[in-house]
Amino acid sequence: MDKCVTLTVLLSVVAAVLQPQVNCTSFSLKKVRNLQVQGFDWKNCGQPDVPAVLKTLTLSPDPIAIPGDLTASATGSTSVELAAPLSLNVILEKEVAGFWVKVPCVEELGSCHYQDACDILNQLIPPGQDCPEPLHTYGLPCRCPFKAGSYSLPQSDFYLPYVELPYWLTNGNYRVQGVLASQGKELGCLKVSLSIHSN
């Protein structure tokens, strides 16, 4: 799932966890001045024959500073077109006292099921707008549908701005699993683990 599909899965997972459009006043959102993400790791978690897979993903530096600069490259492929509706099932776990605890879905944050990941992408990048850089430069799509084929994001630089996070998501070790499906058939699965530290 080339750069586009790769980033689609990643954006969908990230958007599901940190979806900026959600009204989260009950979460006591706070603007994080200095945030570090370290120990970022990922792997495919689907069956060997799932159509959408992430082949490579490299992020630097480690730790990743937010706000700050990020360098990323990725490759992937999908053997089928990825078109709406694409359901996304997210499981978010946080390590607490040595045990992994599932974070419940509250106000569309946490371990949630989303009816259509394409809608999430449309909220992040409204239809009619150009895809953000560097996707635009490389001619990569940023919203559904994603045609079958291979995708590649050459090493590219991004700036990560300040973020607002729920108080419970500002420090700790996390695991996130995202399963993309269509009409009950699993299309791809990605697991991400990372540590978040802020002050």
Side-chain angles (χ1 to χ4, degrees):
M1 78 173 116
D2 188 2
K3 171 183 181 177
C4 218
V5 177
T6 294
L7 288 181
T8 297
V9 173
L10 288 176
L11 281 174
S12 297
V13 171
V14 171
V17 176
L18 303 176
Q19 191 173 17
Q21 288 75 18
V22 175
N23 177 7
C24 303
T25 53
S26 64
F27 280 111
S28 299
L29 288 178
K30 68 177 188 177
K31 194 164 197 173
V32 179
R33 297 259 178 238
N34 294 298
L35 180 73
Q36 286 193 336
V37 176
Q38 56 191 35
F40 182 90
D41 193 26
W42 66 275
K43 68 178 180 179
N44 292 297
C45 48
Q47 296 297 318
D49 61 346
V50 294
V53 293
L54 181 62
K55 295 181 178 178
T56 65
L57 174 62
T58 303
L59 304 177
S60 64
D62 186 9
I64 299 166
I66 303 174
D69 296 315
L70 171 70
T71 300
S73 63
T75 61
S77 65
T78 178
S79 59
V80 299
E81 181 179 74
L82 302 179
L86 292 174
S87 68
L88 177 63
N89 192 50
V90 175
I91 296 175
L92 173 64
E93 297 175 300
K94 181 176 183 177
E95 188 177 19
V96 179
F99 296 94
W100 288 100
V101 178
K102 184 176 179 181
V103 177
C105 183
V106 180
E107 296 184 16
E108 297 189 35
L109 291 174
S111 299
C112 302
H113 176 77
Y114 301 90
Q115 294 294 326
D116 192 1
C118 295
D119 282 344
I120 296 173
L121 291 176
N122 286 339
Q123 291 176 30
L124 294 173
I125 309 162
Q129 284 188 8
D130 286 341
C131 291
E133 294 297 342
L135 298 178
H136 184 70
T137 294
Y138 295 115
L140 295 172
C142 57
R143 60 183 66 87
C144 301
F146 297 94
K147 295 180 180 179
S150 294
Y151 294 85
S152 177
L153 171 64
Q155 184 170 303
S156 302
D157 295 324
F158 300 86
Y159 177 74
L160 304 175
Y162 287 108
V163 295
E164 291 186 348
L165 298 176
Y167 70 91
W168 49 265
L169 194 61
T170 51
N171 286 284
N173 299 323
Y174 296 90
R175 299 191 305 202
V176 183
Q177 175 177 292
V179 178
L180 201 62
S182 178
Q183 299 178 344
K185 180 180 179 182
E186 185 175 318
L187 299 177
C189 178
L190 189 67
K191 281 186 178 179
V192 172
S193 60
L194 51 85
S195 294
I196 296 177
H197 300 277
S198 64
N199 52 32

